[in-house]
Amino acid sequence: MSYAEYLAAIGPEIALTIAALLVMSIDALWPRSVRAIPWIGIAGLLVTLAMLPMFRAERVAFSGLLVIDPLAVLFKVIALISVILVALLSISHRPLRGFHEGEYHTLLLFFAVGLMFLVGAAHLLMIYLALEMVSLAAYLLTGHLKLDPRSSEAALKYYLFGALCSGLFLYGASILFGLTGTLHLDGIAEAVRASGLSAALLAALVLMLIGLGFKIAMVPFHLWAPDAYEGAPTPITALLSVASKAGGFAVLLRVLAVAFPLEALDWQPMLWVLCVVTMSLGNVIAVRQGNIKRLLAYSSIAQAGYVLVGVVLMRQTPAGLPSAMIYLIAYLFMNIGAFAVVIVVSNALGSDKIEDYRGLARRAPLASASLAVFLVSLTGIPPLAGFIGKFYLFAATIDAHAYWLAVIMGVNSVVAAFYYFRVVRAMYLDAGKSEEPIGTARPLQVAVGVTLLGTFVIGVWPQPFLLFAAALPLGF
Amino acid sequence: MIPLAPFLVVSAALVAIGVFGALTRRSALGILMSIELIINAAALNLVAFSQHIRTSDAESTAGQMFALFAMAIAAAAAAVGLSIVICIYRNSKTVNVDKIDLMRW
Amino acid sequence: MDFLPALIPVLPLLAFAVIITNGRRLGWSACLVAVGASLTSAVLAALVYSRVLLSHETLAWSFEWVRWGETALRMGVRIDGLGALMLFMVTVVGTLIEIYAIGYMAGDKTFSRFFAFVSLFMAGMLGLVVADNLLLLFVSWEIMGLCSYFLIGFYFHRPSAAAAGIKAFITTRIGDVGLLIGMILLWWTAGTLRFDELLLAVPALAGLGDAHVDLMLTAAALLIFVGTIGKSAQFPLHVWLPDAMEGPTPVSALIHAATMVAAGVFLVARSFILFAQFPAALTVVAWVGGFTALFAALIALTQNDIKRVLAYSTLSQLGYMVMALGLGAYAAGMFHLITHAFFKALLFMGAGAVIHGFHHVQDMRRMGGLWGKMPWTAWTFLVATLAISGIPPLSGFWSKDEILLGAFHESPVLWVAGTFTAFLTAFYMFRLFFMTFTGRQRDGEIHAHESPAVMILPLVVLAVGAALLGIPGSPWMGLWVQHSLDVPAYALAHHHHSNLVMGLSIAVAVAGIALAWLMYAPRPTIQPARVARAMGRLYTLSLNKFHIDEIYAALIINPTRALARGSFRFDLGLIDGAVNGMGWLQRALASLKGLFDKWVVDGIVNLLATIVQALSAVFGLIQTGRVHNYLLLASLGALVIACLTWWNMG
Amino acid sequence: MTEPASLLAWIAFVCLVAVTVGSAVLVVTLRNLFHAVLALIASLLGVAGLYLMLLAEFVAAIHVLIYVGAVATLFLFVIMLTVRIDDAALRQSNRQVIPAIALCGAGLALLLAALLAAPWTPVEEIRPPGVQQIGHDMLTTYLLPFEVVSLLLLVALVGAVTLARREDQRT
């Protein structure tokens, strides 16, 4: 492979790495330029995003370690958009102001680089490496507010849980290597097909599932999530709940779809149960939360459960994978949007308690209306993005004759309405203590605007997103 | 030459001991050390497989390479973990994880 | 020109957008925007109605919305006779209610917000009526659900209002989920969601005789009916409607008459082809409707809150409509929907005028003698009361009579129940009327006054409608309205006229009024209290709404609590030592008990809430905040997953 | 098939295993964290010995360099920074010991059952790749991970320095 080919394969990643290094050196050399740093990072991310269409031709690069296929491109787009939005949120998040912003944005960009490698990795070594890169950056970002005990505690819990899970993932990967003699996912599939089911294969799958389940906060590997989400700086909470989770889903999809053929190991029943437990537990526990970040943490566990519905059904219906993708895209906009409003409120009130949201509609009408839209969308009510996502997931369950899954999802979406509307009620139907208006910083306005637009457009005219998601062939 | 199976037994034992440590140590540092044991077990597995399992010529070094990378990554992860532990210590003057529960339910 | 009907829902939607974004600037004139939009819609609707009536054609216009592999989803509007009549009714009644609200809401701080949401509500309802496919119908349906949440909880400083808003939203949401699943089931079985295509596809599929397909379609029909049960407040999801009167009275009128509850009935009518093919589904519909009609009428007998009586009467009348559809008397059911919209809107607005003039007192036991003080209100109210009681030639008589006629031919049991309900209806409505308007005022403290002209005018218009609207649907005019509905061939044919049915229904109405006169006239012959004593337990049953809420508590909540406590202990032993445990146990039990006291007051939603909250309290305990517990649970989880999977594979 | 191992090799193997596993047990049970790190070093050296027995000299060398040279030293520093001397006598394990023993025991048993029954496809003869081969592959086949791991180390460096630095040192 020539260097030109290398460049053609990982051009966007290289560009983003350069941006990250640039941010790092500018911070080190000209400490005064700190106001410009986030914008340099965002510019780098935007350039990378703009480069993606030129680098989407399907290919296998670096001796099969990395692939560029529709799945990878799709997830790269999701990852970049969410990191851009998170960078916007970070600019105006009060506790982050002037607190090692250079390092913060450097880590954020490297997180994005890791994510881009992660979604294209088709080789166990590469997967592990990218997974660790993403995780390490995430641990560090979670604990970035080192003077805040909650931030440190969140980082510690996240780190310890993550380190154990990734250690077990590595051990599982080593068993898989022993069984198949190769680290390439497609080679693994061939060998597994030839040798068939064995207890060791199952052990490898379960061990690897621990690592991936941790990334997407799937029950029972979700336990870190509520604490980490609550303690992390709010933009990072958004990052963990969207970008990091999307990366986890990309690997999960690739590992399950490529490396574990169903005829050798039928993982569907197992994932079915996990999916049901994940959505139900997340929704049920969310009902009692009094902190909005924690509420959104449990809600995002439940949302991961919904996405898993598409993953479970991906071999039974051609609608499975695309419906999971659509849901993920919708989730990106509505969830980051919700966190943007949470930041608006916490900047003004210094609180994330739902009781402090009382009467918010009078103090910040636009922010409240936006949050209401995002929550209504998360509930799955038309004509918003969340409804389209749920609609296609329901369609996939019906197509796959998975009626129980449809019913359980239905019950869950009723339960979810409870807690989302508790927040709406606090904002609109409860009287607040103060009437003082709350302002919104410009970058947050942009972020809220973009996410609102996304939430509405997907809801009203989903066609382009459907095409985007339907680019996924079944057996990629 | 020692066959494959004894190595697998050793690495499985190391994993079990490591998980046990992670579950029972009160100190975050103790948990970190236990996790190092697990990563070592995986690396040992990889090297053992690399020598004993039939692979294609192109992948004759795959297992060893994975083990080497895993070590580098583990070192980086340990550095990150220890810096987080230092932060925790500065904030709450303890590294015992059962004392660290500001956030729950 | 073809897309003209699409403008009808878009105009109120625009009004919503304009008012919500410029609320402060518009101030009082917000109502002009809202009324202007719906008045224009009404004019358009009248145009559409005349065109559909004259040509008997179906107006349709659509465009491709999304394409999903092979299947494309089209969005558009389709207006047949049924849709045109509904459009006409919704826009006219809606506009009148909005005009009335100008007077009723005057001086309210949230005046403009009120009109914004009412406009959106109208947009939702109109969108639902013009929709040419189930998906668009569902979208409008949900928009209406959201608006009901905001409007019922509009007086947010009253906790009961906020609670009622949530209750309405969550309860109807249960139905919505059923509808959504049913809709997708239908889509996957029949391959389309468009009504005109379903008209062809469903009979073709039913003709196959494939048991699986039949099962799927029956399930789809029943799930769609679950949506109706939620939205049209049929038993057992009826609990939200009586509470929905917590909203401002114009909202009650809107919800009870022209919009929300009518949507559920309309849904069954729209997807009637599905029900018509599967008699099992139809039977369920009929019995649910019949039961709701009787059950709600029994409760209405003893209520003392003026709006509550009306709320239960709505439930009962909705039961009639649903029963009619279930009996195949499609045209009769829809006719009753239209007439009911007029007289029920009139009743609610009359009650609102009473409440408005009576300084926001709603207890009928404090009223009386308002006849002299509010003549306009009293006269129009009398017209509506006569109409709902089924006195010819007012509108309610003709539509109700036709439903009973259908029942007479199809199911004698339901006919008897329906006739008895008609008797009860006449009785409790005149009980209300006599207690409010005749005799002397029982609470002398309050100085009642007549409402302003802007509130009286809509009352008069509606009274004219409630009085005369039945005529075009009467046998005198050859059931003209019913024929204009373009009743599809698959709906059952009209029944032969029966003098017995008609005579009996007049007789029971008169008997009901007479009994009410005897008991509640200025000088009663029969003392109501003695009747109550004589009826004993029956009276208390009705007063306590048949203890439905308590039954829910005994059957479901208590066992759940016990279960929760049991599983809680189990969890505890698992995670940590007993020392920490006792603390948790006490805290969790205390919170459970608190929740129990707080939530087990009434209703299925509170029940659901209680269960979910209890589960939440129990499962929330997993999150101990200690990372070593997390690690243990996760490892245990992994082991369990591995074992179960291995065991599952044998 | 591989040639039968000589008795000497077995003796060496058993000794190494005893050191490795024995020290590992000490790592997770010793009360004094300082001692635990020493046990960790012993265990790691044992693993290095096992690498040698597997004829993977390069891996063994790197292992010793990275783990004993860097990681263990880092642990020692942090322990000295964070653990006070009077902590040494404190109980170092929490109340989960019994469930943890049960869980790990069951897990180990299942894992061993699975691993020993697995259909491995052994080589006829061990031909370990030399250091040259490893070096060559690292800069050809594994060029991408080689570059990415450098980024990962950079991330760890930047982040760890930011986190561990005292706040008052930056003005």
Side-chain angles (χ1 to χ4, degrees):
Chain A
M1 232 176 132
S2 73
Y3 282 100
E5 280 174 83
Y6 288 157
L7 210 61
I10 57 166
E13 285 85 348
I14 293 176
L16 198 56
T17 309
I18 292 172
L21 294 172
L22 201 65
V23 165
M24 194 173 79
S25 17
I26 289 176
D27 176 55
L29 298 176
W30 295 283
R32 295 245 180 106
S33 60
V34 72
R35 308 279 304 155
I37 278 177
W39 298 107
I40 298 171
I42 290 173
L45 287 161
L46 283 172
V47 168
T48 314
L49 186 61
M51 284 169 77
L52 276 183
M54 290 177 278
F55 290 84
R56 65 166 181 216
E58 284 199 47
R59 63 167 80 226
V60 176
F62 295 97
S63 354
L65 268 65
L66 202 66
V67 293
I68 289 106
D69 60 1
L71 179 87
V73 177
L74 257 137
F75 272 102
K76 279 177 195 175
V77 173
I78 293 180
L80 285 174
I81 294 178
S82 50
V83 176
I84 291 171
L85 290 170
V86 167
L88 273 174
L89 302 190
S90 312
I91 295 172
S92 312
H93 187 47
R94 187 153 288 168
L96 285 172
R97 273 277 172 81
F99 193 80
H100 306 293
E101 272 187 283
E103 286 90 342
Y104 177 87
H105 282 277
T106 309
L107 288 174
L108 196 59
L109 291 177
F110 276 125
F111 176 91
V113 174
L115 212 50
M116 289 180 71
F117 281 120
L118 182 63
V119 300
H123 183 268
L124 290 180
L125 166 54
M126 201 57 213
I127 290 176
Y128 180 67
L129 179 57
L131 210 55
E132 281 292 296
M133 180 156 168
V134 171
S135 295
L136 290 188
Y139 304 143
L140 291 164
L141 288 167
T142 302
H144 187 77
L145 297 174
K146 56 183 174 176
L147 301 180
D148 177 1
R150 286 169 173 266
S151 178
S152 300
E153 179 179 329
L156 183 74
K157 286 175 175 172
Y158 187 18
Y159 176 84
L160 291 178
F161 204 96
L164 180 65
C165 288
S166 86
L168 292 175
F169 174 87
L170 182 64
Y171 188 71
S174 77
I175 295 177
L176 197 56
F177 169 66
L179 281 170
T180 59
T182 174
L183 291 171
H184 291 279
L185 292 185
D186 43 3
I188 290 173
E190 257 170 57
V192 166
R193 260 195 208 97
S195 66
L197 176 65
S198 66
L201 185 68
L202 178 67
L205 175 64
V206 171
L207 286 165
M208 289 175 70
L209 205 60
I210 297 176
L212 301 176
F214 155 74
K215 271 267 140 231
I216 61 172
M218 175 178 76
V219 175
F221 314 115
H222 70 292
L223 290 152
W224 59 276
D227 295 0
Y229 283 24
E230 187 185 341
T234 311
I236 297 308
T237 312
L239 188 77
L240 295 183
S241 70
V242 178
S244 179
K245 200 166 272 198
F249 269 111
V251 186
L252 184 69
L253 280 173
R254 211 181 274 285
V255 167
L256 286 180
V258 179
F260 288 92
L262 278 186
E263 58 266 31
L265 174 56
D266 184 9
W267 40 260
Q268 276 172 346
M270 170 167 89
L271 215 60
W272 192 98
V273 173
L274 290 174
C275 151
V276 165
V277 174
T278 300
M279 66 174 115
S280 309
L281 201 70
N283 273 326
V284 163
I285 303 183
V287 167
R288 298 247 304 148
Q289 299 308 315
N291 179 308
I292 190 148
K293 280 167 80 177
R294 220 169 158 77
L295 180 137
L296 287 173
Y298 284 110
S299 126
S300 93
I301 292 169
Q303 307 285 341
Y306 296 142
V307 180
L308 275 174
V309 170
V311 180
V312 172
L313 300 177
M314 73 176 158
R315 286 294 181 223
Q316 276 162 322
T317 154
L321 261 188
S323 62
M325 289 304 302
I326 292 168
Y327 200 87
L328 213 51
I329 296 169
Y331 171 71
L332 184 167
F333 287 108
M334 53 203 188
N335 211 46
I336 294 192
F339 278 112
V341 180
V342 170
I343 291 176
V344 170
V345 177
S346 82
N347 278 349
L349 308 180
S351 161
D352 294 324
K353 290 203 187 91
I354 294 172
E355 57 191 62
D356 291 328
Y357 279 64
R358 286 195 187 145
L360 193 68
R362 297 167 169 277
R363 307 179 64 181
L366 285 181
S368 312
S370 313
L371 184 55
V373 168
F374 296 130
L375 294 175
V376 166
S377 177
L378 281 165
T379 317
I381 289 174
L384 299 171
F387 168 69
I388 298 293
K390 284 238 172 69
F391 182 76
Y392 282 105
L393 282 177
F394 271 118
T397 56
I398 301 292
D399 190 32
H401 303 296
Y403 302 116
W404 279 113
L405 211 49
V407 170
I408 293 166
M409 244 173 88
V411 173
N412 265 295
S413 52
V414 174
V415 173
F418 266 130
Y419 61 84
Y420 290 130
F421 273 75
R422 247 183 55 217
V423 182
V424 177
R425 172 184 169 169
M427 290 192 303
Y428 280 92
L429 302 183
D430 285 344
K433 282 176 242 154
S434 160
E435 296 266 314
E436 190 191 339
I438 290 174
T440 307
R442 193 51 57 81
L444 284 173
Q445 286 175 358
V446 175
V448 170
V450 170
T451 46
L452 263 186
L453 195 70
T455 310
F456 272 110
V457 169
I458 297 175
V460 175
W461 192 51
Q463 184 66 62
F465 298 90
L466 290 181
L467 287 179
F468 185 64
L472 284 181
L474 180 58
F476 62 83
Chain B
M1 225 18 251
I2 311 287
L4 176 63
F7 287 100
L8 298 185
V9 174
V10 174
S11 85
L14 281 180
V15 168
I17 294 168
V19 173
F20 173 79
L23 298 186
T24 56
R25 297 302 263 180
R26 290 176 76 203
S27 162
L29 291 165
I31 299 179
L32 277 177
M33 285 190 244
S34 311
I35 290 168
E36 293 302 330
L37 287 178
I38 297 174
I39 295 174
N40 261 290
L44 180 60
N45 239 1
L46 283 169
V47 175
F49 282 133
S50 156
Q51 310 295 63
H52 282 275
I53 292 292
R54 196 183 307 143
T55 59
S56 64
D57 280 345
E59 293 201 83
S60 60
T61 56
Q64 292 199 41
M65 203 64 78
F66 201 168
L68 286 171
F69 276 104
M71 284 173 202
I73 296 167
V80 169
L82 290 171
S83 69
I84 293 174
V85 169
I86 289 176
C87 268
I88 275 285
Y89 182 74
R90 288 213 184 109
N91 277 320
S92 47
K93 297 287 167 253
T94 179
V95 292
N96 281 358
V97 291
D98 49 2
K99 297 258 176 62
I100 301 170
D101 58 353
L102 282 176
M103 292 175 291
R104 52 178 152 166
W105 313 124
Chain C
M1 189 56 199
D2 281 343
F3 63 87
L4 195 67
L7 278 181
I8 298 176
V10 168
L11 285 169
L13 189 66
L14 285 177
F16 165 74
V18 168
I19 300 174
I20 202 80
T21 46
N22 301 301
R24 291 228 171 97
R25 218 172 311 152
L26 282 170
W28 182 82
S29 48
C31 67
L32 297 183
V33 178
V35 173
S38 52
L39 205 59
T40 319
S41 289
V43 172
L44 283 176
L47 281 176
V48 167
Y49 189 39
S50 61
R51 186 163 159 198
V52 171
L53 264 187
L54 291 177
S55 62
H56 275 278
E57 66 178 321
T58 297
L59 302 183
W61 173 77
S62 67
F63 62 93
E64 185 177 307
W65 179 55
V66 293
R67 180 168 279 283
W68 174 258
E70 308 285 282
T71 46
L73 281 176
R74 294 184 72 83
M75 279 287 159
V77 297
R78 174 176 182 275
I79 299 176
D80 54 3
L82 169 67
L85 186 61
M86 284 289 289
L87 273 186
F88 175 70
M89 179 277 280
V90 174
T91 49
V92 170
V93 176
T95 309
L96 290 172
I97 292 174
E98 283 183 0
I99 293 172
Y100 171 90
I102 298 175
Y104 191 88
M105 299 300 290
D108 201 297
K109 264 195 287 183
T110 44
F111 190 76
S112 71
R113 192 146 66 95
F114 176 83
F115 279 96
F117 279 109
V118 167
S119 293
L120 186 59
F121 208 123
M122 291 276 291
M125 185 64 194
L126 292 171
L128 182 136
V129 173
V130 301
D132 76 338
N133 63 73
L134 261 175
L135 187 62
L136 183 56
L137 186 146
F138 183 77
V139 171
S140 318
W141 175 279
E142 289 280 47
I143 290 175
M144 220 166 28
L146 264 183
C147 291
S148 72
Y149 167 76
F150 282 107
L151 286 172
I152 293 171
F154 195 77
Y155 290 138
F156 55 80
H157 45 83
R158 282 209 305 250
S160 58
I166 292 223
K167 188 168 178 176
F169 180 71
I170 303 276
T171 314
T172 53
R173 186 132 185 87
I174 297 172
D176 298 349
V177 169
L179 172 57
L180 178 61
I181 298 179
M183 179 171 93
I184 293 172
L185 209 57
L186 184 62
W187 184 26
W188 237 251
T189 318
T192 178
L193 287 175
R194 289 164 60 76
F195 295 121
D196 46 358
E197 288 170 13
L198 282 173
L199 285 180
L200 302 174
V202 172
L205 283 169
L208 292 178
D210 181 336
H212 179 71
V213 170
D214 285 1
L215 184 69
M216 286 295 113
L217 288 179
T218 311
L222 287 175
L223 282 165
I224 288 174
F225 184 58
V226 170
T228 300
I229 292 181
K231 217 51 150 203
S232 288
Q234 298 296 293
F235 182 84
L237 295 183
H238 64 280
V239 288
W240 67 269
L241 192 59
D243 286 10
M245 54 155 207
E246 286 286 350
T249 302
V251 172
S252 310
L254 206 56
I255 288 177
H256 286 256
T259 55
M260 191 122 162
V261 294
V265 180
F266 180 75
L267 172 67
V268 175
R270 257 290 175 253
S271 40
F272 200 72
I273 180 71
L274 197 55
F275 292 89
Q277 295 290 338
F278 301 100
L282 217 49
T283 311
V284 172
V285 174
W287 282 91
V288 168
F291 180 76
T292 309
L294 183 58
F295 169 82
L298 285 171
I299 295 177
L301 292 179
T302 55
Q303 300 301 313
N304 289 318
D305 181 318
I306 183 167
K307 280 175 81 176
R308 217 166 246 283
V309 177
L310 292 181
Y312 282 105
S313 87
T314 307
L315 281 179
S316 178
Q317 300 298 314
L318 286 167
Y320 268 123
M321 297 170 210
V322 171
M323 180 175 87
L325 289 171
L327 292 168
Y330 172 97
M334 295 317 289
F335 185 37
H336 194 57
L337 177 68
I338 303 292
T339 58
H340 173 257
F342 278 83
F343 60 69
K344 186 50 64 67
L346 179 53
L347 284 172
F348 261 104
M349 284 153 66
V354 168
I355 294 164
H356 190 76
F358 213 70
H359 302 281
H360 293 274
V361 169
Q362 303 194 359
D363 192 334
M364 294 191 297
R365 284 169 296 189
R366 296 172 64 186
M367 297 175 182
L370 294 180
W371 184 279
K373 288 173 185 156
M374 326 179 138
W376 286 99
T377 311
W379 272 107
T380 50
F381 205 91
L382 180 61
V383 171
T385 315
L386 286 169
I388 193 175
S389 304
I391 297 297
L394 301 174
S395 60
F397 167 74
W398 302 108
S399 51
K400 193 185 286 185
D401 185 52
E402 222 185 303
I403 294 176
L404 292 176
L405 188 66
F408 180 69
H409 287 283
E410 294 293 326
S411 163
V413 179
L414 285 176
W415 174 65
V416 172
T419 310
F420 184 56
T421 306
F423 165 73
L424 294 176
T425 308
F427 173 74
Y428 67 70
M429 283 311 298
F430 271 90
R431 167 178 178 266
L432 183 154
F433 185 81
F434 292 140
M435 281 178 84
T436 311
F437 290 102
T438 63
R440 269 185 307 152
Q441 192 176 324
R442 282 176 284 272
D443 188 336
E445 305 278 297
I446 299 169
H447 298 286
H449 58 82
E450 182 61 286
S451 304
V454 70
M455 288 166 69
I456 295 300
L457 176 75
L459 292 185
V460 174
V461 177
L462 281 172
V464 173
L468 301 181
L469 214 66
I471 310 287
S474 66
W476 300 343
M477 289 189 63
L479 305 173
W480 181 81
V481 173
Q482 287 89 323
H483 289 300
S484 78
L485 290 177
D486 299 328
V487 178
Y490 55 81
L492 299 184
H494 290 295
H495 300 287
H496 290 292
H497 181 70
S498 157
N499 282 326
L500 169 69
V501 173
M502 189 182 271
L504 207 60
S505 83
I506 298 174
V508 294
V510 173
I513 298 171
L515 186 61
W517 175 257
L518 290 176
M519 285 173 69
Y520 296 99
R523 269 180 296 280
T525 321
I526 307 170
Q527 286 298 329
R530 278 180 49 200
V531 178
R533 263 201 305 281
M535 300 299 273
R537 291 194 61 79
L538 279 176
Y539 177 79
T540 35
L541 263 182
S542 169
L543 191 64
N544 292 321
K545 299 165 234 161
F546 286 89
H547 296 286
I548 290 294
D549 308 326
E550 287 80 0
I551 294 171
Y552 284 149
L555 284 184
I556 310 179
I557 299 179
N558 292 342
T560 313
R561 253 184 83 194
L563 190 73
R565 217 180 294 156
S567 61
F568 176 70
R569 288 215 180 94
F570 174 74
D571 250 23
L572 210 70
L574 197 74
I575 296 173
D576 213 329
V579 185
N580 290 340
M582 285 320 287
W584 293 350
L585 188 66
Q586 279 167 358
R587 238 177 300 152
L589 279 183
S591 71
L592 276 183
K593 189 170 173 302
L595 286 170
F596 185 73
D597 296 343
K598 186 175 153 201
W599 285 97
V600 185
V601 188
D602 69 334
I604 194 168
V605 180
N606 295 351
L607 164 80
L608 196 67
T610 313
I611 293 174
V612 172
Q613 296 252 350
L615 287 176
S616 185
V618 170
F619 287 116
L621 294 171
I622 297 170
Q623 211 73 29
T624 57
R626 309 228 167 111
V627 74
H628 54 252
N629 292 341
Y630 298 173
L631 297 178
L632 181 70
L633 279 176
S635 319
L636 186 70
L639 200 64
V640 169
I641 294 168
C643 292
L644 282 183
T645 313
W646 184 245
W647 177 68
N648 183 38
M649 288 173 180
Chain D
M1 278 307 293
T2 51
E3 79 245 40
S6 67
L7 185 63
L8 210 60
W10 273 110
I11 291 173
F13 180 78
V14 168
C15 291
L16 282 171
V17 169
V19 170
T20 310
V21 176
S23 320
V25 170
L26 289 180
V27 171
V28 299
T29 49
L30 281 179
R31 285 200 164 195
N32 188 328
L33 277 182
F34 200 80
H35 296 166
V37 179
L38 297 181
L40 179 66
I41 291 175
S43 179
L44 293 173
L45 286 173
V47 173
L50 290 174
Y51 286 147
L52 286 178
M53 297 216 64
L54 282 164
L55 308 182
E57 303 88 353
F58 185 64
V59 177
I62 297 292
H63 178 85
V64 171
L65 276 178
I66 291 186
Y67 271 106
V68 184
V71 176
T73 322
L74 208 55
F75 269 103
L76 282 179
F77 269 119
V78 176
I79 286 172
M80 286 192 287
L81 268 175
T82 61
V83 179
R84 278 162 289 173
I85 299 303
D86 52 318
D87 282 355
L90 282 180
R91 197 166 47 88
Q92 273 299 329
S93 51
N94 55 34
R95 269 173 279 172
Q96 292 185 157
V97 174
I98 292 167
I101 287 178
L103 184 77
C104 294
L108 181 62
L110 289 176
L111 197 57
L112 284 179
L115 288 181
L116 296 178
W120 312 112
T121 48
V123 288
E124 286 79 24
E125 147 185 51
I126 291 184
R127 277 176 308 162
V131 178
Q132 283 147 340
Q133 180 71 35
I134 291 176
H136 175 262
D137 282 4
M138 190 169 277
L139 291 178
T140 54
T141 318
Y142 298 97
L143 179 66
L144 183 66
F146 186 73
E147 298 294 344
V148 175
V149 88
S150 67
L151 293 182
L152 180 134
L153 290 170
L154 187 63
V155 167
L157 189 74
V158 171
V161 168
T162 315
L163 276 194
R165 185 165 51 184
R166 267 187 195 286
E167 226 15 61
D168 50 29
Q169 286 172 356
R170 187 186 165 106
T171 46

